[in-house]
């Protein structure tokens, strides 16, 4: 919702002729993954820490993704919207949430002709090992989030 609201108020975006937009590429982040988890930080690597796999915040995050994609499509109906999967994190629990959000993005790509999912992990493992562990060498160690490429 935050990204969509910012986009609706971005004059630079709104000034672009929608007919000139051929392709949109989205790289979604993981800012609300911790809220979705709803567990203490020291349990992020504990798969049995109590994450249920479904909650209100997760459903809201899915709707935020869908609403953003629909807004972009309504704004520039002739373009394709390419969504890069959400990149893995170092925490096992966080990756459970990220996997669910990626499954939802895949669902959107299968059900809306204008949405394509760009998968970096499935059969490629660009940023994670085949065991699902993130390849931290590709992520910045500057700061405390260790998330950004």
């Amino acid at each position: 919702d935050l990204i969509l609201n910012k986009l609706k108020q971005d004059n630079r975006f709104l000034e672009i002729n929608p007919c000139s937009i051929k392709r949109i590429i989205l790289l979604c982040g993981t800012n609300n993954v911790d809220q979705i988890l709803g567990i203490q930080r020291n349990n992020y690597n504990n798969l049995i820490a109590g994450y249920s796999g479904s909650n209100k915040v997760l459903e809201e995050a899915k709707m935020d993704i869908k609403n953003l994609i629909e807004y972009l499509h309504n704004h520039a109906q002739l373009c394709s919207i390419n969504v890069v999967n959400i990149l893995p994190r170092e925490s096992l629990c966080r990756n459970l949430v990220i996997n669910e959000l990626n499954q939802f993005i895949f669902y959107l790509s299968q059900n809306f002709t204008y949405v394509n999912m760009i998968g970096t992990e499935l059969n490629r493992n660009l940023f994670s090992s085949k065991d699902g562990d993130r390849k931290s060498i590709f992520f910045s160690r500057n700061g405390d989030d260790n998330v950004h490429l």
Side-chain angles (χ1 to χ4, degrees):
D1 200 33
L2 178 66
I3 295 171
L4 179 55
N5 289 333
K6 284 185 176 186
L7 192 59
K8 287 179 178 180
Q9 297 173 14
D10 186 340
N11 289 329
R12 292 174 299 170
F13 173 75
L14 297 173
E15 290 171 0
I16 298 172
N17 177 354
C19 293
S20 70
I21 302 172
K22 305 291 184 232
R23 182 176 302 114
I24 296 173
I25 299 175
L26 293 177
L27 176 60
C28 299
T30 60
N31 290 351
N32 53 359
V33 168
D34 293 346
Q35 287 178 309
I36 293 169
L37 279 173
I39 61 175
Q40 293 181 353
R41 184 181 275 285
N42 63 339
N43 282 324
Y44 285 173
N45 286 318
N46 183 355
L47 288 176
I48 59 171
Y51 172 63
S52 66
S54 178
N55 62 41
K56 182 181 176 190
V57 183
L58 174 64
E59 296 309 313
E60 289 172 357
K62 289 178 181 179
M63 289 313 302
D64 287 348
I65 293 169
K66 185 174 188 260
N67 291 340
L68 176 62
I69 289 171
E70 286 178 344
Y71 174 79
L72 290 169
H73 174 67
N74 289 332
H75 181 74
Q77 295 183 4
L78 300 177
C79 78
S80 63
I81 300 172
N82 301 286
V83 185
V84 179
N85 63 260
I86 301 172
L87 300 177
R89 298 284 297 267
E90 284 188 314
S91 151
L92 297 174
C93 281
R94 283 178 171 159
N95 285 335
L96 290 175
V97 173
I98 290 168
N99 288 343
E100 284 199 47
L101 292 171
N102 283 335
Q103 287 174 2
F104 181 71
I105 294 169
F106 179 75
Y107 165 82
L108 294 175
S109 73
Q110 297 299 300
N111 288 279
F112 297 96
T113 57
Y114 52 89
V115 178
N116 302 303
M117 181 176 180
I118 300 173
T120 63
E121 302 313 302
L122 186 62
N123 299 321
R124 293 183 183 166
N125 299 101
L126 296 179
F127 298 105
S128 64
S129 69
K130 291 183 181 185
D131 296 329
D133 297 325
R134 185 174 76 165
K135 296 177 183 174
S136 293
I137 191 168
F138 296 116
F139 296 83
S140 172
R141 292 259 181 211
N142 297 333
D144 60 358
D145 67 358
N146 191 23
V147 176
H148 298 93
L149 289 171

